[in-house]
Amino acid sequence: MLVNSSGNDGVGQGKQVIEKRAIEYIPLRERHGKPWHVTPVWINCSANLTGLAIGAIGIFGGLSLVWSLVAITVGGLFGTFFAAFHASQGPQLGLPQMIQSRPQYGYQGAVLIYVIAIGTYLGLNVFAIVMMGQTIARLLHVSETLGTTSSTFLAVVGAVFGYDLVHRISRWTTIAFVTVLVLLLISMPIVLHVSLASAGHGTFSLSAFMLQASAMAVGTLSWAPYVSDYTRYLPRLSLRASFFGTYVGMSVTTIIVAGLSAVVTSAFPKLDIISAFHEAGDAFFTGFGTIVLVTTWLGTVLLVTMNTYGGALTVMSVVDSFRPVRPNALVRPVLALVFGAVSLLISFAASDTFITSFTNFLTVLFYALAPWTATNLVDFFFVRRGRYSVREIFNPRGMYGSWNWRGYTAYLVSLAVMVPFAMTAWWSGPIASDLGYDLAPFVGMVVSALLYLALARGIDLEEERRLIAVADADLEVTEAGPGVAGTGDAPVSASRPIDLEGSL
């Protein structure tokens, strides 16, 4: 199952063919890589077909190109800010992202958050798979069914192999991605004859602006449930290094890709986004349109790989919440195969009204993710300041409890407060109807953060830290193979208390 070889390729202390670990803690002796190694991962998966779809939303909504580009920039910078802070948790805790929700919501209480994350992975997978199928069908003149099936197969294979393979591939393919994006930036003003004057033609609609900005924000925030999955093997490093390693690659690439999409969509308003990019690329030189589509298709394959990988880990977290998961190198790869197959089957039934469905999905997703990201980040950076017990996170009867009323109170109250500000395709709250645009997720994040911060004042942090010192005292030197803490087996190791004082 596992093949190891000596030597260090800059990714690990030996080359694993298939990753052996899953939701358990990554001990310091197995940590490897540098902060910048994360940047290529986000450059690659950010240059994808769903990013093209997001960039077209403002134009389709009647927004002028200039205002679409402003909305794309604002939304991208905003959403990536939170995703990058989540990514900085990975090297500090050495755990997948979603399992870190247990201190805020409880050992079993976090299951609701896991289910929302699974819905996120599935939804983004389905939309990405549909676009991959359309792209392959256009490029190779085959059926979309064959295109979606073959693309999904490649993505799932990557998820089966796991963490190190994604990092290696991203390192090598980043050169191609950056080259194509630079050529697109150079060519678009030339071949499409885009000027500031023409870009300003059109109307400004605050509702369309907010829709485009929100779509960009949730497009990057949607990575929050698994960004730590791809930083948890990094050695412990400063928060600044891990934050910017993610922020630079993710924000710059998503903004450029979505911005180019807005430009191309405004130039070819009657074409679908895939056909429009093919035409725009070939207008620069023959064959460049195909290169552009192949490049973004590869980025989408990587995106589906990461969604499938994160989905498998989160399904394991759900199971572990009711019956602790025993160490087994086959479980994660098998779950990745199943998750990919389910995503493919759902994609076959996807609606033809793709852009509309995609926009509605992003709206609902933002509602569900906003309160969670607020409670999780507030707890990590302002309440417990990075001090957690890994053993207790995996202990069903541990100090974090089965259900944490503080996290759920903040989450549910924020959802209730969001209702009047919500605007969906099915229903709109009174305040949103009066304003003409949606403020619900932003209101929810603020309410959830402030309420959780207030409720957390009742936590006895001194007692918690005393318990952490006792529970995790010998975990870094305790070795029992790739086990999961709290299952009855001795865990591999766990984190020492982390003090974030002065790190921000």
Side-chain angles (χ1 to χ4, degrees), residues 10 265 363:
T265 301
T363 301

Side-chain angles (χ1 to χ4, degrees), residues 179-258:
T179 301
V180 169
L181 289 178
V182 170
L183 287 175
L184 277 171
L185 285 172
I186 295 172
S187 67
M188 290 299 101
I190 299 173
V191 301
L192 300 182
H193 307 291
V194 176
S195 65
L196 288 177
S198 62
H201 289 164
T203 61
F204 173 79
S205 166
L206 189 55
S207 59
F209 181 91
M210 293 298 294
L211 184 61
Q212 177 66 83
S214 296
M216 277 296 295
V218 74
T220 51
L221 185 60
S222 64
W223 286 314
Y226 62 76
V227 282
S228 279
D229 299 356
Y230 286 92
T231 60
R232 74 191 198 279
Y233 279 89
L234 290 176
R236 285 217 181 95
L237 38 81
S238 73
L239 293 178
R240 290 185 181 90
S242 51
F243 173 88
F244 285 108
T246 298
Y247 193 87
V248 171
M250 188 183 293
S251 63
V252 173
T253 308
T254 53
I255 290 171
I256 290 176
V257 169

